[in-house]
Amino acid sequence: MNREFLHKITLLGCLFLLITSSSGTDNGFQTPEQYVQIVQEHFANEEWEAGKELLEEGLQKYPNVSDLEWLMGKYWFHEKNYDQSRYHLVKAIDDNYNNVNAKHLLVDVEDITENYSSAICYVNELLEVNPYWRGLWRRKIELYRKQNNDVEADRLLKRINQIYPNDTILRKDYIYSMEVGYQQMKKGGNRKEAIEKLTELIKVSPQNEEYYLDIINLHLQEGNREAALGWSSNGLAAIPGSGALIVKRASILSELARYPEALVFIREQMKRNNSPAIRRMYNDLLMEAARAEKQRDPYVLYGMAYEGGNKNKEALDYLLNTSVTRGYTDDALFYIREAKKQYGNNDKGILYKEYMLYRQMNEDDLAYSTLKKMYEMYPNDYDITLAMSAQHMKKAEKLMELGLYAEALPHVLFVSQKHIDNDVNGAAWEKTLSCYINMKRYNEALATLDTITLHFPDYENGTLKRAFILDKMDKTEEALQLYLSAIEQSDEDMRIFYVIGYEELAVPYIKKCMEAGATKKAYEEAIKLVSLNPSSDLGLRYAINSSGLLGKYDEFEKYTAQGINYYPEEPFYQAKRATVLERDKRYEASLEFLKPILNKYPSNKEIIGAFSQSSEYRALQLTKAKEPEKALAVLDTALLYDSQNKSLKYTKGVVYEANRQADSAYYYQKYYEPSIMEYRSFQRHLSGLRSMMLKNEIALTYLRARYGEEDIITSVATAEYTRKGQKNSYTGRLNYAGRSGSASDSMEAEEQTPGGVGIQVQGEWTHHFSPKWSTTVNAAFATKYFPDITADVAVRHYLKNDWEIGAHVGYRRVAAYTKRYEWNDEFFAGGTGDNGYLFTGWNESKTNLLTVGGELAKTIEVVRLNTKLDMHFFNSNFYYNAQIGAKYFPANDGKTNINAMASIGSAPETAVLDYALPGSFSHTNTMVGLGGQYMVSPNITIGLMGTWNTYYNQTNTVRGSSPLNPIESISTRYKNLYNIYAQVYISF
């Protein structure tokens, strides 16, 4: 025996060593996900070596887990060992092709190591998952540039800029790209193309002074000084007072020896910019002009000749042309007037010079008036019509900038109907379309778009514009259908842009449907959008929200999982995942899911809201399971993150109420903000809580009983005091009963009990061991009518979902009475009467009554149902009584109720014995009752109850005419007893 015992001890010791040794080398991680989470935390805290040690351990246990390989690649990337990083990242993708994090990091590795083609391939793979990520497109363009493939980079940039015209970052990139292009052309000596690029740049960014200076210099390098002067004028018109442009124009004029013009120009500009540099240049020009004056100017000579009277055509033409060219506006106006005198007011050449002069003077109205006059005179002249179209376009542009589309429309219609030049005509039709759209004349806009697509078959924005117009006409469904058709017929490149356009229309339309209550329609459109673009963030959000409102919980869960797949760090989808768990009543799982996310995003409202809601549901679930301490712990945790959440505070009050902590329940439940319909009920409930807070209660009860067939009144009065605590309640009770009836042999007794007075003194203690268990113990002693001794012990167990079970055992020592008869010696046979026996008193007997019973109860919202079974052991016989009852609480104060009950059995219910009411054993006893209580105020509650008992009654009598031959008889019958209970409860 000892050897076997030692063998067992040895085995247990070895097992213990094995367990302890294994626990010493295992970090306790059971899954790859646990390794991933802890390693990420180490990396986030810059604990790279500690994270690497865990990674190596995890990879030994789980060698083909993609996320572990990605994290190892991330470690080597941090260490700048890019070969090792690439090795692990490629393995991560081999294990899981859709590992987006690994691909992103591979793009960085290949970029740093200048493997740009590989980097572009990984970007393309990422774009397959999320083709609408603008950052990836910008990264791809950047890689093309590093690869020196500027042609492809510019093509992509231009295309993306057209799709996202309002994206400021893309616009800056586009401008920067054009700027780099012209700089390269300039360095390469390709000045003409550089000038074209700069012209485009100035259209896009007309306020950039540097562009004007560069294009002026390029024209000067080309030897085109007049063009340089023209751009200097354009620059000063766009940037009035620019010192650099003033100096530049003056310098060119100086180089052309046009000193008077330069001096006049500077004097005019000094009104806006009187800087020291410009004043210094003005003085220098004065000196140069003085030196140049030594040389004779033909303009001056012709002028002197003209003034001297030689007003021939040669002199006038020279003076007019020169004054216009040099910008001598006053001289030019004078010579134009002179020319009109000689050649007439309608000479086309003179009028055209006048028009050009007004343009130089920036007198747009006068220029337009002169041009209009020429157009009316020469409507078929190409140059005049072209100039007229340019004026109309210029006016239209200014009016459109001011938002005056109705005023701009006639100008663009003029140009569009002339068919002068394809580019000009196309621009006019575009502006016509824009005017109609902004004027909300959508039918005309559609007709204009039809014209554009007819005359310009290569017009690329037709589908986008048509869909936009249809959407504005509240024909969004038709617009979306147009996009769907275009998507079906397009190639892969165009499909992306059409899907983007579809999404830009679909999202506001879905939102509009949701706001209008058309949830089903919103759901259908959201599903279409997600089918076209599975990664659409807003599409997924609307699909989730609408499916939830429609009760499509499978779809809700499906799109939530899809959202987490594309946006694993997005709090919205994490919150919806919690909602999925809540719908399955997995509140604890929801909280465990949200806790690490909440630690990561402690200020995110969506995550806080989801955590609060799950906490509230979990707390109520624990409360129903009779675990209020755990429920309070859950709510306290939620309130750490959401301290102002009134719903959480109210729920905390509900938990306190269930745990019989009325003061705390009242404090927290008062935060609730009821609606108008709830206000009275809520105030009533608060009054009930205030009543529960009162520790002392006096109860006064009066029972009045009357037989149905006899005018005999039986009463019982009760006074009791209760001291209430959270775990213990103590009650002292005094019962008083008075009976009318025979007390001696002076009268015949019709009753079965003697008359007199009885008093019972009772003490009761109730103790709550926990939220799930309680017990009640009471004992009483009485003088008469009541049981001489009463003792009861009851145990109650509170189950989940508002079920209760109870068991009780009781003892009573009860008294039974029989009438006593004796022979009357004064009776003489043959005299009057036939009965010689007299009632002389009562025989009293004491009997022990043992009671064992059980109870079952269920609360369903405001109704409490209960059933009870008592088994009595009396005089070696077994008897029973079964009861059912229901209480309805209509007022939400916890006290006001309507109560109905009924019982049947071979013994009366225990209350009949306790209240010293008549009853009988061995025959059927029945009872029905109805009553209720009403809380008048937190301090006073009143009650009234009526019961109807039917019981079996027997009375013994003795008759006879001879002492030797008594005739004993027992009369039996069923009797009705009607009881009224009046109750007053005073709390303080």
Side-chain angles (χ1 to χ4, degrees):
M1 175 67 74
N2 291 334
R3 182 178 297 172
E4 182 179 358
F5 177 74
L6 289 173
H7 180 65
K8 291 181 179 179
I9 292 298
T10 303
L11 287 176
L12 289 172
C14 292
L15 179 62
F16 175 77
L17 289 174
L18 179 62
I19 293 172
T20 55
S21 64
S22 65
S23 65
T25 60
D26 190 353
N27 285 293
F29 304 146
Q30 302 298 323
T31 65
E33 290 76 11
Q34 290 177 318
Y35 279 103
V36 170
Q37 180 182 350
I38 300 303
V39 169
Q40 284 181 312
E41 291 177 1
H42 280 306
F43 285 0
N45 295 328
E46 296 296 327
E47 299 168 355
W48 294 93
E49 295 305 322
K52 184 192 175 190
E53 290 180 8
L54 279 179
L55 268 177
E56 291 173 342
E57 179 184 313
L59 283 169
Q60 288 179 357
K61 295 172 69 176
Y62 307 104
N64 295 319
V65 175
S66 178
D67 282 343
L68 292 177
E69 293 288 357
W70 160 61
L71 288 171
M72 185 61 81
K74 186 175 182 178
Y75 168 80
W76 288 115
F77 184 84
H78 174 263
E79 295 296 319
K80 297 184 179 180
N81 189 335
Y82 301 116
D83 290 336
Q84 280 291 333
S85 179
R86 181 188 295 109
Y87 170 77
H88 288 283
L89 292 173
V90 169
K91 287 192 67 177
I93 296 174
D94 289 341
D95 294 336
N96 178 9
Y97 180 77
N98 294 320
N99 192 326
V100 174
N101 293 324
K103 290 182 180 180
H104 272 293
L105 196 53
L106 267 172
V107 173
D108 294 335
V109 170
E110 302 297 0
D111 188 357
I112 293 171
T113 57
E114 298 183 358
N115 295 318
Y116 302 124
S117 295
S118 297
I120 291 170
C121 289
Y122 289 122
V123 171
N124 288 335
E125 290 180 12
L126 289 169
L127 285 171
E128 290 176 5
V129 178
N130 193 342
Y132 312 106
W133 192 347
R134 302 178 195 182
L136 283 174
W137 286 105
R138 286 196 290 270
R139 186 67 181 275
K140 186 175 179 180
I141 292 168
E142 177 188 347
L143 291 169
Y144 273 129
R145 297 220 182 275
K146 290 182 178 180
Q147 202 180 36
N148 295 321
N149 191 350
D150 292 326
V151 174
E152 187 62 25
D154 290 342
R155 186 189 68 82
L156 276 179
L157 183 58
K158 183 176 182 181
R159 191 67 173 168
I160 293 297
N161 193 65
Q162 290 173 348
I163 297 302
Y164 299 105
N166 296 323
D167 191 312
T168 56
I169 296 176
L170 288 174
R171 184 177 178 84
K172 288 179 180 178
D173 290 347
Y174 182 53
I175 292 173
Y176 175 75
S177 171
M178 293 176 65
E179 187 172 337
V180 169
Y182 99 78
Q183 292 285 3
Q184 291 176 346
M185 293 171 187
K186 186 171 69 173
K187 289 179 181 179
N190 195 348
R191 290 191 290 268
K192 290 185 179 180
E193 292 187 7
I195 289 171
E196 291 177 1
K197 278 285 185 183
L198 271 173
T199 303
E200 293 181 21
L201 264 174
I202 291 172
K203 289 179 181 179
V204 176
S205 183
Q207 300 297 317
N208 192 311
E209 182 182 74
E210 182 182 349
Y211 295 161
Y212 289 104
L213 293 172
D214 280 355
I215 200 169
I216 290 169
N217 289 331
L218 287 170
H219 277 297
L220 290 175
Q221 292 169 19
E222 286 287 295
N224 192 347
R225 294 180 177 179
E226 292 300 328
L229 284 172
W231 277 108
S232 68
S233 296
N234 294 342
L236 287 168
I239 315 171
S242 168
L245 289 173
I246 293 171
V247 170
K248 196 69 177 177
R249 181 176 175 83
S251 298
I252 297 170
L253 291 171
S254 174
E255 290 175 6
L256 293 171
R258 291 159 59 174
Y259 298 110
E261 184 179 350
L263 292 170
V264 170
F265 164 73
I266 292 181
R267 280 199 300 271
E268 288 293 327
Q269 293 299 323
M270 285 171 66
K271 296 177 181 178
R272 291 191 178 92
N273 186 347
N274 193 20
S275 66
I278 293 176
R279 289 199 301 272
R280 187 164 50 251
M281 185 175 192
Y282 179 74
N283 293 330
D284 292 342
L285 281 174
L286 282 175
M287 292 299 295
E288 289 183 26
R291 288 191 292 270
E293 191 62 27
K294 294 178 181 179
Q295 301 177 1
R296 303 187 63 85
D297 183 359
Y299 179 77
V300 176
L301 295 174
Y302 272 117
M304 292 173 62
Y306 192 83
E307 289 179 1
N310 190 0
K311 298 184 178 182
N312 59 23
K313 184 177 185 300
E314 177 189 350
L316 181 58
D317 288 346
Y318 180 85
L319 290 169
L320 176 57
N321 292 334
T322 304
S323 61
V324 171
T325 303
R326 294 182 179 182
Y328 300 164
T329 54
D330 292 338
D331 289 356
L333 289 172
F334 170 76
Y335 292 123
I336 284 173
R337 288 194 296 271
E338 290 294 306
K340 284 183 177 181
K341 292 177 184 178
Q342 289 193 26
Y343 309 123
N345 291 329
N346 297 327
D347 184 85
K348 183 165 64 171
I350 303 302
L351 288 173
Y352 196 80
K353 288 182 175 64
E354 184 179 20
Y355 160 70
M356 294 300 296
L357 177 63
Y358 284 139
R359 284 190 58 188
Q360 290 178 11
M361 295 169 63
N362 290 324
E363 294 287 349
D364 293 337
D365 291 337
L366 292 172
Y368 178 73
S369 176
T370 304
L371 184 62
K372 184 178 179 183
K373 181 178 179 180
M374 284 193 294
Y375 178 74
E376 290 172 353
M377 295 169 58
Y378 309 101
N380 297 321
D381 187 285
Y382 177 81
D383 292 330
I384 294 175
T385 304
L386 187 60
M388 189 69 175
S389 296
Q391 285 293 316
H392 277 291
M393 290 292 284
K394 188 174 181 181
K395 282 184 175 291
E397 288 172 0
K398 289 184 177 180
L399 291 168
M400 291 174 72
E401 288 175 1
L402 297 172
L404 302 174
Y405 298 100
E407 290 79 358
L409 183 60
H411 295 286
V412 292
L413 286 175
F414 173 89
V415 180
S416 64
Q417 293 167 3
K418 292 302 173 183
H419 305 291
I420 297 300
D421 178 87
N422 275 343
D423 291 338
V424 175
N425 194 244
W429 279 115
E430 281 272 12
K431 292 187 182 301
T432 303
L433 180 61
S434 179
C435 286
Y436 281 133
I437 291 174
N438 284 282
M439 293 167 64
K440 299 182 180 180
R441 292 168 59 177
Y442 299 121
N443 290 323
E444 289 93 332
L446 285 176
T448 302
L449 186 58
D450 290 338
T451 301
I452 294 174
T453 54
L454 176 64
H455 293 290
F456 303 94
D458 296 332
Y459 184 63
E460 294 183 348
N461 295 328
T463 300
L464 301 175
K465 293 287 188 182
R466 190 176 301 277
F468 177 80
I469 295 168
L470 289 171
D471 179 56
K472 292 298 183 182
M473 296 173 72
D474 290 330
K475 296 181 179 181
T476 308
E477 290 188 61
E478 187 176 342
L480 295 174
Q481 189 59 45
L482 180 66
Y483 269 125
L484 289 175
S485 299
I487 290 168
E488 292 175 358
Q489 300 170 12
S490 62
D491 56 27
E492 190 61 31
D493 290 336
M494 286 304 299
R495 184 184 186 278
I496 294 173
F497 300 117
Y498 285 139
V499 170
I500 292 172
Y502 183 94
E503 183 170 3
E504 289 181 349
L505 286 189
V507 168
Y509 180 61
I510 296 169
K511 180 182 179 182
K512 182 179 179 182
C513 290
M514 291 288 286
E515 291 174 348
T519 310
K520 184 177 181 181
K521 185 63 179 176
Y523 169 76
E524 293 171 353
E525 294 299 331
I527 297 309
K528 289 181 186 177
L529 173 57
V530 173
S531 67
L532 290 172
N533 179 10
S535 64
S536 172
D537 183 25
L538 291 175
L540 286 168
R541 288 173 186 250
Y542 281 122
I544 291 168
N545 290 336
S546 59
S547 60
L549 291 173
L550 293 172
K552 296 179 179 290
Y553 301 126
D554 291 340
E555 284 77 4
F556 183 95
E557 186 171 356
K558 170 188 172 183
Y559 292 115
T560 297
Q562 187 170 330
I564 290 176
N565 181 48
Y566 282 106
Y567 307 99
E569 302 299 323
E570 176 56 45
F572 171 83
Y573 299 105
Q574 308 287 4
K576 294 304 178 182
R577 172 61 182 159
T579 302
V580 172
L581 295 172
E582 289 171 8
R583 187 169 287 118
D584 295 334
K585 297 186 178 179
R586 297 169 59 193
Y587 308 124
E588 187 174 10
S590 175
L591 291 175
E592 291 302 317
F593 171 73
L594 288 171
K595 281 179 182 177
I597 303 169
L598 188 60
N599 291 333
K600 189 173 183 180
Y601 303 104
S603 300
N604 185 275
K605 292 183 180 179
E606 287 179 328
I607 297 300
I608 291 173
F611 189 79
S612 296
Q613 181 169 298
S614 293
S615 298
E616 188 173 333
Y617 290 154
R618 177 59 177 160
L620 293 174
Q621 187 181 57
L622 289 169
T623 301
K624 283 197 171 186
K626 308 303 176 185
E627 298 184 32
E629 290 82 4
K630 291 183 179 179
L632 289 172
V634 169
L635 291 170
D636 287 338
T637 301
L639 285 167
L640 289 175
Y641 298 96
D642 199 2
S643 60
Q644 301 304 314
N645 190 313
K646 294 183 179 180
S647 182
L648 284 176
K649 293 180 180 179
Y650 174 76
T651 304
K652 190 172 182 180
V654 172
V655 177
Y656 274 124
E657 182 179 355
N659 202 33
R660 298 174 304 284
Q661 293 175 264
D663 49 353
S664 297
Y666 179 82
Y667 173 79
Y668 284 103
Q669 289 191 35
K670 69 182 181 181
Y671 287 102
Y672 182 65
E673 296 178 354
S675 65
I676 296 176
M677 298 296 293
E678 297 174 316
Y679 182 77
R680 292 184 63 184
S681 175
F682 179 68
Q683 292 300 318
R684 186 81 184 173
H685 184 70
L686 291 181
S687 296
L689 290 176
R690 287 198 298 270
S691 180
M692 289 173 61
M693 291 164 59
L694 302 174
K695 302 297 184 182
N696 304 287
E697 183 178 87
I698 294 175
L700 302 175
T701 303
Y702 176 69
L703 165 64
R704 185 177 181 88
R706 182 184 184 280
Y707 294 97
E709 65 281 358
E710 300 171 0
D711 191 16
I712 299 176
I713 304 298
T714 301
S715 301
V716 176
T718 301
E720 66 179 60
Y721 167 75
T722 301
R723 174 67 180 180
K724 295 181 288 186
Q726 183 182 352
K727 289 186 175 294
N728 296 287
S729 295
Y730 305 93
T731 300
R733 187 178 293 114
L734 179 66
N735 293 316
Y736 167 79
R739 296 286 187 270
S740 60
S742 301
S744 67
D745 57 359
S746 61
M747 58 184 295
E748 183 66 20
E750 295 294 334
E751 308 84 13
Q752 190 60 30
T753 58
V757 174
I759 296 176
Q760 183 187 54
V761 178
Q762 187 176 45
E764 184 173 286
W765 170 54
T766 298
H767 176 70
H768 290 270
F769 297 98
S770 71
K772 295 184 178 181
W773 290 95
S774 70
T775 185
T776 299
V777 178
N778 68 55
F781 301 92
T783 59
K784 196 174 184 180
Y785 302 130
F786 303 99
D788 292 351
I789 300 173
T790 301
D792 290 291
V793 177
V795 177
R796 186 171 293 273
H797 182 40
Y798 305 94
L799 302 172
K800 294 180 179 180
N801 299 319
D802 299 320
W803 283 94
E804 300 173 25
I805 57 174
H808 55 272
V809 60
Y811 167 78
R812 286 165 179 75
R813 183 167 179 80
V814 296
Y817 296 93
T818 58
K819 295 177 181 178
R820 185 174 65 248
Y821 290 87
E822 295 181 0
W823 175 255
N824 183 7
D825 293 332
E826 297 180 357
F827 178 80
F828 296 95
T832 60
D834 58 357
N835 185 15
Y837 288 88
L838 296 176
F839 166 65
T840 60
W842 300 89
N843 294 321
E844 181 181 14
S845 62
K846 304 291 185 179
T847 308
N848 295 321
L849 174 67
L850 179 64
T851 303
V852 178
E855 183 177 356
L856 178 65
K858 166 69 174 175
T859 300
I860 305 173
E861 296 183 355
V862 295
V863 176
R864 187 178 190 275
L865 306 174
N866 71 291
T867 180
K868 180 180 177 185
L869 177 65
D870 288 331
M871 294 174 288
H872 303 286
F873 300 91
F874 182 63
N875 289 335
S876 301
N877 292 313
F878 165 74
Y879 305 97
Y880 78 95
N881 183 270
Q883 303 173 39
I884 59 172
K887 277 188 178 182
Y888 169 58
F889 296 85
N892 199 29
D893 57 21
K895 289 193 173 184
T896 301
N897 67 82
I898 299 172
N899 187 12
M901 64 187 72
S903 71
I904 187 171
S906 58
E909 67 270 19
T910 307
V912 169
L913 302 175
D914 290 340
Y915 277 108
L917 296 175
S920 62
F921 290 81
S922 78
H923 289 76
T924 301
N925 291 259
T926 62
M927 182 273 293
V928 293
L930 180 66
Q933 293 180 334
Y934 178 73
M935 190 185 75
V936 180
S937 71
N939 301 93
I940 297 175
T941 300
I942 59 176
L944 188 66
M945 168 70 73
T947 62
W948 170 20
N949 295 71
T950 301
Y951 66 96
Y952 180 82
N953 183 64
Q954 61 183 25
T955 304
N956 66 304
T957 59
V958 177
R959 302 182 68 83
S961 58
S962 168
L964 301 176
N965 189 23
I967 301 171
E968 295 187 14
S969 63
I970 297 176
S971 63
T972 61
R973 61 173 175 167
Y974 276 94
K975 301 182 71 174
N976 293 316
L977 182 66
Y978 301 99
N979 307 312
I980 297 293
Y981 299 79
Q983 304 147 339
V984 178
Y985 298 90
I986 303 171
S987 301
F988 56 95

